[in-house]
Amino acid sequence: MSAIRKIIQRQLFQKDDERIQAIVNVNKLDGKKKKNQTLLCLAVTIEHPIAVRLYFVKGEKDDTFKKKDRFNLREVREIDGINPKKPSPEFHITIGDRQYVILAGSANEKDDFIRELYKLSCQYLPVQMPDFCNFSLPQLEAEASIIPIELPEHDIAMASDYQPVSAKEDADFRKLIERANLTIGDAHAFAEMLTEQLQSLDGANINSMMDSENSVNQLLSSIDAALTGVESVEKELDNCDDILAFVRNSIELIEEKDSLSVVERKNKARLNEEIISFVNSLQEVTDAHIETLKQANFSNPESVQKCTDAARAVAHFWHGRFAKPMLQMKAYQDRNDELAAIDVFVDRLMSHLSALFSNLNDLSLDHEWHELCIPKQSQRFRALSPLSDLINWLKTNRPKACNLVLQKYIDSTNLLYKRLFDNFFDTLISKVPKAIGSEKKSSELAINQSAFIYHFPETSDSANTSLRSDNQSFMSTSSEIDTEVLPQLIETVLAELSAVIDAEQKFVVRFFHINSELLAQFDTTSTGSGDSSSLGGRSMEKHMNEQVRHVMGNLFDSLNIHLDSFCRAVCRHNPSNVLLLFVIMSKKVLLPQDPSSYFLITFGSLVVLIKRQFDAFIQMECGQYSEVRIVKKTRIGILPSIARFAGFVRRAETIFENAERRTDLEKAYFNLCRAVCDGIQKAAANPYSKSPSSVVKFENYHELYLTLSELKISCLDQQRKDAKALKEEHIDAYVKEFMGRPLKEIQTFFDNVNNFIEMRGIRPEEISYQQQFSRMELKKVISQHPGKEVKKGLEQLYKKIEKNLVANSSLLQVVWRDMQEQFIKQIAEYNKLILTCYPGIKIELEVSTDNVLQFFSEIAQQH
């Protein structure tokens, strides 16, 4: 603490001419532990007048300190030591209106700090010193070596204003006395001398004031003359202000008259302009315009252009700047009555458009095109384009008539595209059997095999191998042909539809000006508000797309039906083609598309249709894998669904190579594998099966495990492990089921012994006292199974296992080895049970472990 005190004295207090009298380390302030080191310092000034201050000093990260808060000793009201009888580092100090709860580093630091604070309070604040509560006051006084000054009650008020004499004041006073040749003891005489000098100075001041009376009188006269001159100047200034006010009023009146004349001239000029514009607007629609509309010939391009100009003049007359103000004017009403020919013009235009739509559609159907192409409508678009401006005029001035024209166009064009799509998709679907017809027989064969109807008495391993190879060859042939033909067909469909739909959409938007009123409204809103936000732009774009999609949807409402027919036709000849379709469309989904094009909706519809076909195909495959029908008693063997599943996976992996959307395929793998397992369970439980249920399960699960191991599909790794576990489980069940046959009577005897012990609660060593489990009965049962009989039973068991399994099965030795281990374990359990239940008897089974190992080895070598 002394080192810290020296550092703080040097860094903070020395430059301010202060000296630290006491210091205490603050661990907690107001109940909160301080992260940085905090100290409470008591300091006094070195020079007079002496001041006593309290400082909170905070430690910084770089071993420096900083003054945080400063208080004068006069501000300290109370110091509470908490408990005077028990040493404690905690104390409270009240400064002003706030109480600080301080936890010092130790009780000794606290006592030293309080002692020094009490000493300085007694020395410099004898009257206003703080209250020291819960302290031993006599002890503080003795340690501080200060006797507190006790003043009478009547002197407390005077003492409150007492200020101690500083050393400088004391030195100055002594110098003053030395100049008068006096000492401190002659202070009374010194005071009388000062009084006499003060009285002489007062008399001199009075005499000086009496001598200056004449000068004062002259000064007062000068001041009165100056005041008179000021009054005359003020009167002159008032006269000038009156003259300036009159001039100002006159100028304001002149300016007002001038401004009124300027307004009058502007109003006359504006009125003249309005009259001229009004007359021009009345003359805008001429008699030649009206005659042009009456004699309109829509088959002539020049006449169409003249009609367009005349229609624009009429539109400007109706919707110009003077349209609403002139409604009540006689001249405007008379001119408007002369435009009754517009209705006849509109009727003739609608009739011409209806006939033109029908004739152009018939003309488009008469053209000959390539059989795998949809005829382009560029000629029809060129024939209708000159009428686009009239359609825009019609939309603005006769909205109902324009909607009728649009509906007629939709109806006639819908029939046109329906016929074109019928021809295109019929030709396209007719190409599908030619492209895939070469594998039709193979497809029918595979479908018949996938039904899993067993007509054969036995299924040999060679038959299964043949079936698997046929399935795989079918899959490979189908894959090679389809991967070449189907992408070409899909590209043809998408290319033709994209060209036709985009061209039709551009023409419809341009010809019928579908978005013109929205654009005009948006421009007006943006100009009026001064803000064209991105949100408003997106809202307008969305509304525009909705209008376009509504019109295009009515034009191509039959397209989804043709797309669905095309997908069904492709999948009808070979359902697995849907995998290739799914991959092709998944890759195209990732390509950038124009969001405003209606073709994007058509493309999305095709993707949805193919996804539905994909799901239906997987569901159909799952149904075939899980459905097993056996029409007569037969041994099942390996189910064909496993080989079919393997062929499906191989083709799917070939098709989905480098494809990014594998989630749906992995889900299909999982469902198909589960369907195969369901088929295994159903086949094992079939009443027509001659094979034991456990044999059907572990043989097929073993085949499924080998297939999944060969395929190496990461998402089916868990199914592969499950197949292996199920195989081992059912092998154990099969072994336990047939294990007791070579020692049937011994097994029955000891099973009854165990049941009797568990049910009756008899101790094992007392079982021999039961008549049915006596030692004689034990010897009798053991004698029925000599070594030759056991070996003969094992040979029969081997033949039974060989008969239950498929020919040349790799599981035969596995089952036989498990059977050996289980048999040895069974013999060991019987010997242990004999020792437990028949203690002291020298009876053992006639076959030992070595004999069993020899029997199993010989039987295996013989076969």
Side-chain angles (χ1 to χ4, degrees):
M1 183 61 71
S2 60
I4 296 175
R5 179 171 179 172
K6 291 179 181 179
I7 294 172
I8 296 175
Q9 174 66 37
R10 184 173 62 255
Q11 290 183 0
L12 302 180
F13 292 94
Q14 188 171 349
K15 61 183 179 180
D16 295 334
D17 294 331
E18 294 177 318
R19 182 176 65 253
I20 298 177
Q21 294 294 113
I23 186 170
V24 63
N25 189 15
V26 180
N27 289 341
K28 287 186 179 180
L29 181 62
D30 295 337
K32 298 181 180 179
K33 189 173 182 180
K34 309 300 291 183
K35 296 182 180 179
N36 298 327
Q37 186 178 13
T38 304
L39 302 168
L40 179 61
C41 300
L42 179 62
V44 297
T45 57
I46 298 174
E47 296 182 357
H48 291 276
I50 295 176
V52 183
R53 300 187 182 101
L54 288 171
Y55 291 92
F56 279 106
V57 177
K58 181 180 179 183
E60 301 293 339
K61 295 182 179 179
D62 52 353
D63 295 333
T64 59
F65 296 86
K66 181 180 180 182
K67 291 179 180 179
K68 186 178 180 183
D69 297 316
R70 188 186 79 172
F71 309 96
N72 292 323
L73 185 58
R74 289 179 180 277
E75 300 178 26
V76 180
R77 297 171 55 189
E78 183 183 80
I79 297 95
D80 189 358
I82 308 301
N83 190 352
K85 297 181 180 181
K86 182 180 179 181
S88 172
E90 183 179 358
F91 65 96
H92 300 170
I93 180 169
T94 304
I95 301 175
D97 295 330
R98 179 176 176 182
Q99 184 184 52
Y100 293 86
V101 180
I102 299 175
L103 182 66
S106 64
N108 292 333
E109 288 184 13
K110 165 194 167 184
D111 295 338
D112 294 340
F113 183 85
I114 299 299
R115 188 184 306 113
E116 191 65 27
L117 181 62
Y118 182 82
K119 178 180 178 181
L120 294 176
S121 298
C122 293
Q123 184 175 356
Y124 295 105
L125 292 175
V127 177
Q128 295 181 345
M129 67 181 297
D131 294 334
F132 287 82
C133 303
N134 295 320
F135 290 101
S136 178
L137 196 58
Q139 183 180 357
L140 286 176
E141 294 173 355
E143 292 176 353
S145 299
I146 297 284
I147 300 176
I149 302 173
E150 296 183 1
L151 298 177
E153 295 181 0
H154 63 276
D155 293 337
I156 292 178
M158 295 177 61
S160 63
D161 297 331
Y162 167 76
Q163 293 290 339
V165 178
S166 64
K168 188 175 182 302
E169 293 173 344
D170 183 80
D172 293 341
F173 180 70
R174 290 180 184 275
K175 289 179 181 180
L176 189 61
I177 291 177
E178 288 177 358
R179 289 178 183 177
N181 296 322
L182 297 175
T183 61
I184 295 297
D186 299 330
H188 182 68
F190 180 68
E192 291 178 354
M193 184 184 67
L194 293 177
T195 303
E196 292 176 358
Q197 292 178 0
L198 182 60
Q199 290 176 356
S200 64
L201 291 174
D202 289 340
N205 288 334
I206 293 172
N207 292 330
S208 176
M209 293 175 61
M210 295 298 292
D211 294 339
S212 60
E213 181 177 1
N214 294 328
S215 300
V216 172
N217 291 331
Q218 293 177 0
L219 179 62
L220 292 175
S221 299
S222 300
I223 292 173
D224 292 337
L227 291 174
T228 303
V230 169
E231 289 179 358
S232 63
V233 172
E234 288 180 350
K235 290 180 181 179
E236 291 294 331
L237 290 175
D238 292 338
N239 293 331
C240 293
D241 287 338
D242 294 338
I243 295 171
L244 290 175
F246 175 75
V247 172
R248 182 177 63 252
N249 294 333
S250 300
I251 292 174
E252 289 178 355
L253 182 60
I254 294 172
E255 290 179 350
E256 183 178 357
K257 290 182 179 180
D258 184 65
S259 63
L260 291 176
S261 63
V262 171
V263 172
E264 183 179 2
R265 288 194 299 270
K266 289 183 178 179
N267 288 338
K268 288 182 179 180
R270 186 174 179 182
L271 179 61
N272 186 36
E273 293 176 359
E274 292 292 329
I275 293 175
I276 294 174
S277 300
F278 172 67
V279 173
N280 292 334
S281 64
L282 288 177
Q283 297 176 355
E284 187 171 5
V285 181
T286 63
D287 295 338
H289 289 157
I290 298 175
E291 188 64 24
T292 298
L293 295 177
K294 290 181 179 179
Q295 303 296 331
N297 183 9
F298 300 108
S299 300
N300 187 353
E302 294 181 359
S303 177
V304 170
Q305 184 61 40
K306 292 180 180 180
C307 292
T308 302
D309 296 337
R312 286 174 181 169
V314 173
H316 189 271
F317 177 74
W318 281 343
H319 305 289
R321 186 165 60 93
F322 297 96
K324 291 183 179 179
M326 293 189 302
L327 287 176
Q328 304 299 326
M329 300 183 68
K330 179 65 174 173
Y332 181 82
Q333 294 176 0
D334 294 342
R335 195 61 174 171
N336 197 22
D337 293 338
E338 296 176 1
L339 297 179
I342 294 297
D343 295 334
V344 178
F345 169 75
V346 171
D347 294 339
R348 292 180 61 189
L349 177 61
M350 292 179 60
S351 300
H352 176 76
L353 288 173
S354 299
L356 186 61
F357 293 158
S358 179
N359 294 334
L360 291 176
N361 292 344
D362 295 339
L363 186 63
S364 298
L365 291 174
D366 293 338
H367 280 283
E368 294 184 0
W369 290 78
H370 189 273
E371 57 183 1
L372 286 181
C373 287
I374 301 176
K376 304 302 181 288
Q377 304 299 310
S378 55
Q379 185 175 359
R380 180 168 63 90
F381 296 157
R382 284 194 298 271
L384 292 173
S385 293
L387 300 173
S388 175
D389 292 334
L390 290 177
I391 293 295
N392 188 25
W393 177 87
L394 199 65
K395 187 172 187 178
T396 305
N397 299 278
R398 293 292 189 270
K400 292 183 179 179
C402 183
N403 291 334
L404 291 175
V405 172
L406 177 60
Q407 189 59 44
K408 289 180 180 179
Y409 178 82
I410 291 174
D411 295 340
S412 61
T413 309
N414 184 17
L415 294 175
L416 170 65
Y417 281 120
K418 186 176 181 181
R419 294 178 183 177
L420 294 178
F421 289 156
D422 287 341
N423 297 333
F424 173 72
F425 281 99
D426 288 345
T427 304
L428 193 67
I429 292 173
S430 66
K431 297 291 182 181
V432 173
K434 296 178 181 179
I436 326 174
S438 58
E439 66 266 16
K440 183 176 180 181
K441 295 182 179 180
S442 300
S443 177
E444 293 177 354
L445 176 62
I447 293 174
N448 291 334
Q449 290 172 346
S450 65
F452 307 153
I453 302 177
Y454 287 81
H455 298 283
F456 41 86
E458 285 190 64
T459 303
S460 64
D461 189 62
S462 59
N464 283 299
T465 304
S466 175
L467 176 62
R468 189 185 312 172
S469 62
D470 291 342
N471 201 333
Q472 292 176 1
S473 63
F474 155 69
M475 287 293 182
S476 61
T477 304
S478 175
S479 176
E480 291 175 0
I481 297 177
D482 294 355
T483 52
E484 296 177 0
V485 176
L486 283 181
Q488 297 176 1
L489 294 178
I490 292 294
E491 289 293 341
T492 301
V493 171
L494 295 180
E496 292 297 319
L497 292 180
S498 175
V500 170
I501 292 175
D502 289 343
E504 183 65 33
Q505 179 176 345
K506 292 178 181 178
F507 171 76
V508 168
V509 172
R510 184 174 61 253
F511 183 73
F512 289 98
H513 303 273
I514 292 179
N515 301 323
S516 59
E517 71 278 6
L518 290 175
L519 291 172
Q521 181 181 359
F522 179 72
D523 292 340
T524 304
T525 304
S526 301
T527 304
S529 62
D531 178 22
S532 57
S533 62
S534 60
L535 181 61
R538 287 196 297 269
S539 178
M540 184 198 68
E541 181 180 357
K542 180 180 179 182
H543 191 47
M544 290 167 59
N545 291 337
E546 287 177 355
Q547 282 195 341
V548 173
R549 289 174 182 176
H550 175 71
V551 175
M552 297 297 293
N554 292 329
L555 287 175
F556 297 100
D557 59 354
S558 62
L559 184 56
N560 285 341
I561 299 175
H562 291 92
L563 291 175
D564 185 56
S565 301
F566 171 70
C567 293
R568 293 179 182 275
V570 172
C571 299
R572 182 168 55 249
H573 298 282
N574 186 0
S576 62
N577 286 336
V578 73
L579 299 176
L580 189 55
L581 290 176
F582 186 78
V583 171
I584 295 172
M585 297 307 295
S586 298
K587 291 181 179 179
K588 291 187 175 296
V589 165
L590 301 176
L591 298 177
Q593 303 287 344
D594 183 7
S596 62
S597 175
Y598 183 76
F599 175 70
L600 186 62
I601 299 178
T602 304
F603 181 78
S605 301
L606 181 58
V607 172
V608 171
L609 291 174
I610 293 176
K611 181 63 170 63
R612 289 176 181 173
Q613 291 291 330
F614 177 82
D615 294 339
F617 170 67
I618 297 301
Q619 186 176 2
M620 179 191 69
E621 288 288 304
C622 290
Q624 293 178 353
Y625 290 176
S626 61
E627 184 66 25
V628 177
R629 291 179 293 168
I630 304 176
V631 296
K632 62 180 180 179
K633 285 285 186 178
T634 183
R635 296 191 182 276
I636 294 178
I638 305 299
L639 296 178
S641 59
I642 299 176
R644 182 179 176 88
F645 172 68
F648 172 84
V649 172
R650 291 187 182 95
R651 183 183 183 194
E653 287 299 315
T654 302
I655 294 174
F656 276 78
E657 186 177 4
N658 299 326
E660 297 186 9
R661 287 190 60 182
R662 290 186 57 88
T663 305
D664 297 291
L665 179 64
E666 292 176 354
K667 183 179 178 181
Y669 283 166
F670 177 77
N671 293 333
L672 291 173
C673 187
R674 184 171 58 185
V676 171
C677 295
D678 293 340
I680 294 173
Q681 296 291 337
K682 291 181 181 179
N686 196 291
Y688 289 100
S689 173
K690 289 184 179 181
S691 303
S693 174
S694 299
V695 173
V696 175
K697 291 179 181 179
F698 73 69
E699 278 189 326
N700 283 278
Y701 281 124
H702 177 67
E703 183 68 17
L704 180 61
Y705 168 74
L706 294 178
T707 300
L708 294 177
S709 300
E710 179 184 355
L711 294 174
K712 297 180 180 180
I713 305 299
S714 59
C715 65
L716 296 177
D717 188 60
Q718 184 59 42
Q719 282 69 27
R720 180 181 63 83
K721 295 177 182 178
D722 294 342
K724 182 179 180 181
L726 289 171
K727 175 199 71 172
E728 295 174 351
E729 176 185 345
H730 292 295
I731 287 177
D732 293 340
Y734 178 73
V735 169
K736 292 178 181 179
E737 180 182 357
F738 289 89
M739 193 62 256
R741 294 189 178 183
L743 302 174
K744 186 174 182 180
E745 288 78 7
I746 296 177
Q747 181 184 9
T748 303
F749 178 82
F750 284 109
D751 287 344
N752 293 333
V753 169
N754 288 326
N755 293 334
F756 197 82
I757 292 174
E758 292 176 358
M759 295 177 62
R760 301 292 181 86
I762 300 176
R763 292 185 298 175
E765 58 269 17
E766 297 178 357
I767 197 68
S768 60
Y769 297 106
Q770 302 296 324
Q771 183 176 1
Q772 64 270 31
F773 304 122
S774 64
R775 299 185 178 185
M776 295 299 296
E777 289 294 328
L778 175 63
K779 292 180 180 180
K780 181 179 178 182
V781 170
I782 291 176
S783 63
Q784 294 179 2
H785 294 279
K788 293 182 180 181
E789 292 295 329
V790 172
K791 184 176 181 181
K792 182 178 179 182
L794 291 175
E795 290 178 345
Q796 294 175 354
L797 178 62
Y798 186 89
K799 294 178 180 179
K800 183 67 174 179
I801 295 172
E802 190 176 22
K803 183 179 180 181
N804 288 335
L805 300 180
V806 297
N808 301 323
S809 174
S810 59
L811 291 175
L812 179 60
Q813 297 302 323
V814 176
V815 175
W816 188 243
R817 184 174 62 254
D818 290 349
M819 196 75 73
Q820 172 184 309
E821 294 175 357
Q822 187 66 25
F823 195 79
I824 293 174
K825 184 187 295 185
Q826 188 177 22
I827 291 176
E829 290 179 358
Y830 292 161
N831 289 327
K832 182 179 178 181
L833 197 59
I834 291 173
L835 294 175
T836 304
C837 298
Y838 303 92
I841 188 174
K842 296 182 180 180
I843 301 177
E844 295 181 353
L845 297 177
E846 295 189 8
V847 289
S848 62
T849 302
D850 295 335
N851 298 138
V852 172
L853 293 174
Q854 183 179 358
F855 293 160
F856 273 91
S857 177
E858 291 176 355
I859 294 173
Q861 292 176 0
Q862 290 175 3
H863 296 80

